Amino acid sequence: MKKVFPLILAMLAAACMPRIGCAYFGMESIPYSIVISGNTLEEIVCQAALVFHGIGYWEEAEVITAGCEILENQVLDCRQVVSASVMVGSYDVDEGVPREAGSGFYPVRLTLQKDADGRYVLLSYLYPEDGTLYAKQSKTLFSGRVYGMLFDAEQKSRVVQCAWERALAQAQNFIRAQNGKRVWGVWRQVLKPGSNGRARELLKQHEAWNGNYPCFEGFVIWHDVLYQLSVEGEHSYSGKLHFSIFEPSGAWTESVVQVQNNGEVQQYN
């Protein structure tokens, strides 16, 4: 199968920036330099969504995608504040047709700024908590017009459906790319156990493992901490895995491990 390279996020750990306290999920002030490439604003938003919602592992899924609908786009000084409805889905595509393994819907507000090369830098990404605070936080987070859309049953149904259809379309694009078609899309290819069928299970028992690492090459942010995974050699959990954790304080830890044929997990210096 052809290896698929999605529009990729460039990431550099930066010096710690002060975080503004807030009750929302996500980050008010992101202390990492996250540069996002994309052909449209929708692609930019979906790339950002996979950074914050790319946590989790579905054994039967081969790909994680995102779809969105822009609800509001405001330019304030040199910054762009975008409100959007986002759907993140995990799909089993082994039979050539996407089958949803899991999904989540998120109304989000993110702040972007263009750098000198015209690329977008993600400055903040916020979304309301589920539960009793959802309505209150949504009202504070979004404009009156966007809030009205999210709490009107008919309008919310439409924006959720639209985001879901676009996430599904990305999974269909992934299948086309796997079949050799020249298509772009926003997705992350889920790692499989590989030549050693127990590789992921064995790694989970090793001290290097942290359940917040992404299940794909790339990075995610969970509770303000950035978790990164890259692979050498075999593109699976049987390859040589580089795990990194970046703390908002600037602290950084790294582990490089590989499952051996005897089932032992070798850790490299």
Side-chain angles (χ1 to χ4, degrees):
M1 268 188 162
K2 180 180 177 182
K3 186 177 179 181
V4 180
F5 292 91
L7 297 172
I8 200 71
L9 308 184
M11 186 283 295
L12 294 171
C16 181
M17 294 162 44
R19 182 174 186 268
I20 301 172
C22 67
Y24 314 110
F25 284 167
M27 296 189 80
E28 178 78 31
S29 181
I30 297 175
Y32 313 104
S33 180
I34 300 179
V35 182
I36 305 179
S37 298
N39 297 312
T40 64
L41 183 58
E42 284 81 6
E43 286 184 356
I44 298 294
V45 171
C46 288
Q47 295 278 20
L50 289 176
V51 173
F52 281 90
H53 307 299
I55 296 290
Y57 179 77
W58 288 263
E59 187 175 352
E60 66 272 29
E62 284 76 46
V63 66
I64 301 175
T65 74
C68 80
E69 181 174 7
I70 305 298
L71 305 179
E72 192 168 79
N73 179 20
Q74 297 179 311
V75 178
L76 305 173
D77 297 325
C78 298
R79 299 185 176 189
Q80 201 164 336
V81 180
V82 182
S83 297
S85 64
V86 170
M87 183 70 72
V88 175
S90 301
Y91 297 91
D92 174 0
V93 297
D94 267 350
E95 296 181 1
V97 177
R99 182 180 65 83
E100 188 177 294
S103 64
F105 172 77
Y106 310 90
V108 304
R109 191 190 78 191
L110 59 154
T111 305
L112 302 163
Q113 186 171 31
K114 281 192 175 181
D115 65 10
D117 297 321
R119 302 174 303 174
Y120 284 99
V121 179
L122 183 63
L123 301 180
S124 72
Y125 188 97
L126 296 169
Y127 55 104
E129 301 179 40
D130 286 331
T132 58
L133 293 175
Y134 182 84
K136 181 179 180 180
Q137 291 183 357
S138 295
K139 194 168 188 177
T140 305
L141 198 57
F142 301 108
S143 70
R145 187 181 71 84
V146 172
Y147 177 84
M149 293 175 68
L150 295 173
F151 284 84
D152 177 86
E154 184 176 344
Q155 292 189 74
K156 182 176 181 180
S157 176
R158 182 188 64 80
V159 299
V160 170
Q161 180 69 18
C162 181
W164 179 83
E165 289 174 354
R166 291 174 180 176
L168 178 63
Q170 294 298 324
Q172 292 166 337
N173 275 346
F174 174 80
I175 295 171
R176 294 187 186 100
Q178 288 276 3
N179 291 330
K181 303 294 184 182
R182 295 180 60 85
V183 295
W184 291 102
V186 179
W187 57 69
R188 300 290 181 270
Q189 186 172 2
V190 175
L191 291 180
K192 291 300 181 179
S195 58
N196 184 336
R198 297 184 62 226
R200 189 173 189 275
E201 176 188 344
L202 293 167
L203 281 165
K204 286 176 66 176
Q205 301 168 21
H206 193 268
E207 60 183 10
W209 183 269
N210 184 303
N212 295 317
Y213 284 121
C215 60
F216 47 77
E217 280 196 278
F219 61 94
V220 294
I221 293 176
W222 180 247
H223 288 177
D224 299 0
V225 178
L226 188 149
Y227 300 86
Q228 185 175 30
L229 169 62
S230 61
V231 184
E232 280 185 39
E234 183 181 328
H235 189 252
S236 72
Y237 284 109
S238 298
K240 191 175 182 179
L241 307 179
H242 295 243
F243 294 118
S244 300
I245 298 177
F246 298 88
E247 302 278 354
S249 64
W252 168 62
T253 58
E254 181 182 33
S255 298
V256 182
V257 299
Q258 187 170 18
V259 178
Q260 305 299 301
N261 291 334
N262 60 4
E264 295 294 323
V265 179
Q266 179 179 347
Q267 185 155 0
Y268 297 85
N269 294 328

